[in-house]
Amino acid sequence: QPPTSLQHFDVWNFHVADNNAGTPSYFGKIPPQVVENLLWLYTEPGQIVFDPFAGGGTTIDVAKSMGRRIWSSDRKPSTPTLPIHEHDITTGWPEDAPKCPDFILLDPPYWIQASGRYSNDPEDLGNMSLDGFDNAWRTIIDSCYHHQKEGNYLSFIVSPAEDKENDRVVDLGFMMYQACVDAGYKPFRRIIVTYNTQQATGQQVVWAKENKKLLKLYRDLVVFKR
């Protein structure tokens, strides 16, 4: 049966993020409804899902509930109670991972927006320079491409990152999209995922008005086909 959160348009809006999958308090937790819709649209029961940014384990719980097989990893697994393997995907494909997953979901740190949130390690995607992030992302995508076959899907989710030090907003989605195309993936669908709640305080809204700035309210979700 389709999930109760099933979306019918290319703008996905969930009033709140469900707390029925993964660790609710985990920073950067992906809404389970996003994973539900991706797996309903682009996988079938029994197929293999690969998530190398497992975070709080949301993809694991959703995949199991929908009858999909799942292999997940993370640089710093959040909990020993979930089958999250310890691996840094920027160093290459995990040795024990499935050789050809049907669907790959990438929910990486949103560069500078996640600086210091997961670790203080300079090799963390949230702590790298923008060039370092781009190079690491391209390594990830090349590795994914060579471990999928024609007809398989890959998807990433990310939001623009505000680089306050240089007074600019970096549209990570465009940069990451280009890396996927350069690797050989074919763009299949671009979706806008709004944040579940207002991501700004009243003071921030006043600041944005006074300084002619725009506040972030969405994420890019892009699906590619091998």
Side-chain angles (χ1 to χ4, degrees):
Q1 298 297 317
T4 57
S5 65
L6 186 62
Q7 301 292 292
H8 304 288
F9 301 96
D10 57 6
V11 176
W12 292 1
N13 184 18
F14 311 107
H15 296 298
V16 295
D18 288 341
N19 285 327
N20 58 355
T23 305
S25 61
Y26 190 84
F27 173 77
K29 170 183 167 65
I30 187 172
Q33 298 101 311
V34 172
V35 183
E36 288 174 350
N37 278 271
L38 283 173
L39 297 190
W40 175 258
L41 291 170
Y42 302 111
T43 68
E44 297 295 335
Q47 289 190 324
I48 299 173
V49 178
F50 175 61
D51 178 3
F53 295 101
T58 299
T59 305
I60 297 172
D61 289 342
V62 174
K64 286 183 174 182
S65 71
M66 295 180 68
R68 275 68 171 170
R69 291 181 288 171
I70 172 74
W71 199 96
S72 63
S73 62
D74 203 282
R75 289 184 74 249
K76 294 183 178 296
S78 61
T79 170
T81 62
L82 291 171
I84 302 176
H85 301 266
E86 185 173 351
H87 180 77
D88 183 354
I89 189 61
T90 66
T91 64
W93 195 259
E95 183 178 346
D96 298 329
K99 301 304 179 186
C100 187
D102 300 285
F103 184 84
I104 297 176
L105 173 58
L106 302 175
D107 181 19
Y110 297 176
W111 184 47
I112 202 170
Q113 300 299 125
S115 179
R117 292 283 192 163
Y118 299 111
S119 75
N120 293 318
D121 189 338
E123 298 302 313
D124 190 311
L125 286 171
N127 302 328
M128 293 180 175
S129 66
L130 185 58
D131 285 342
F133 181 96
D134 184 41
N135 290 334
W137 178 252
R138 287 177 176 274
T139 298
I140 294 169
I141 295 303
D142 285 341
S143 183
C144 290
Y145 184 83
H146 288 101
H147 283 85
Q148 286 194 294
K149 61 184 179 182
E150 186 175 352
N152 291 156
Y153 292 97
L154 173 143
S155 179
F156 72 75
I157 185 168
V158 74
S159 74
E162 186 176 358
D163 181 3
K164 294 181 179 179
E165 183 176 336
N166 295 299
D167 191 27
R168 62 174 178 168
V169 173
V170 178
D171 202 325
L172 296 174
F174 280 113
M175 185 180 77
M176 295 161 69
Y177 176 103
Q178 188 60 54
C180 293
V181 172
D182 290 346
Y185 280 103
K186 301 176 181 64
F188 192 79
R189 172 67 70 179
R190 180 169 176 261
I191 301 158
I192 297 299
V193 181
T194 62
Y195 278 100
N196 309 105
T197 56
Q198 175 68 29
Q199 294 292 296
T201 63
Q203 291 86 348
Q204 289 172 321
V205 173
V206 171
W207 172 86
K209 290 179 179 178
E210 293 176 346
N211 292 276
K212 297 183 179 180
K213 301 290 186 180
L214 295 176
L215 299 174
K216 180 170 58 178
L217 202 60
Y218 77 96
R219 288 156 286 191
D220 286 300
L221 176 61
V222 189
V223 180
F224 296 87
K225 199 169 186 177
R226 171 70 159 83

